[in-house]
């Protein structure tokens, strides 16, 4: 059975790999952003019932418009 790990010699461990300064800075900033985003809790604002009803009505109107446009496109074809 031949695999790449059998055919390829192991890498030399005596030469340390160097990482550029920009890569280290980018990694540190990325990790800080990930940690910060997990620590901040997202609290949803409370929506009053009247606003919720209004938003639901507007969404239903938009869906009805899209259905009418879709039906019109089918007839047009």
């Amino acid at each position: 059975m031949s695999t790449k790990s059998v055919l390829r010699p192991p890498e030399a461990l005596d030469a340390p790999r160097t990482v550029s300064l920009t890569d280290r800075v980018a990694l540190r900033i990325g990790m800080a952003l990930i940690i910060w985003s997990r620590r901040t809790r997202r609290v949803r604002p409370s929506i009053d019932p009247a606003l919720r009803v209004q938003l639901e009505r507007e969404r239903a109107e938009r869906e009805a418009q899209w259905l009418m446009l879709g039906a019109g496109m089918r007839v047009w074809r």
Side-chain angles (χ1 to χ4, degrees):
M1 180 172 94
S2 64
T3 60
K4 285 198 308 186
S5 61
V6 173
L7 298 175
R8 189 177 59 209
E11 296 179 7
L13 297 176
D14 46 328
R17 291 185 178 178
T18 58
V19 179
S20 67
L21 177 64
T22 54
D23 286 341
R24 282 187 278 162
V25 169
L27 180 64
R28 187 168 295 237
I29 290 173
M31 290 301 294
L33 287 174
I34 290 170
I35 292 169
W36 176 80
S37 68
R38 289 178 183 245
R39 285 186 182 173
T40 55
R41 303 271 183 207
R42 291 178 180 89
V43 178
R44 289 187 174 182
S46 60
I47 299 177
D48 62 327
L51 180 61
R52 185 180 303 261
V53 169
Q54 178 186 355
L55 292 174
E56 184 67 27
R57 188 179 308 124
E58 290 174 358
R59 186 181 63 81
E61 290 173 2
R62 280 193 307 269
E63 287 179 357
Q65 288 176 351
W66 280 105
L67 286 173
M68 291 299 291
L69 284 173
M73 289 300 289
R74 282 194 205 98
V75 170
W76 179 72
R77 278 196 218 165

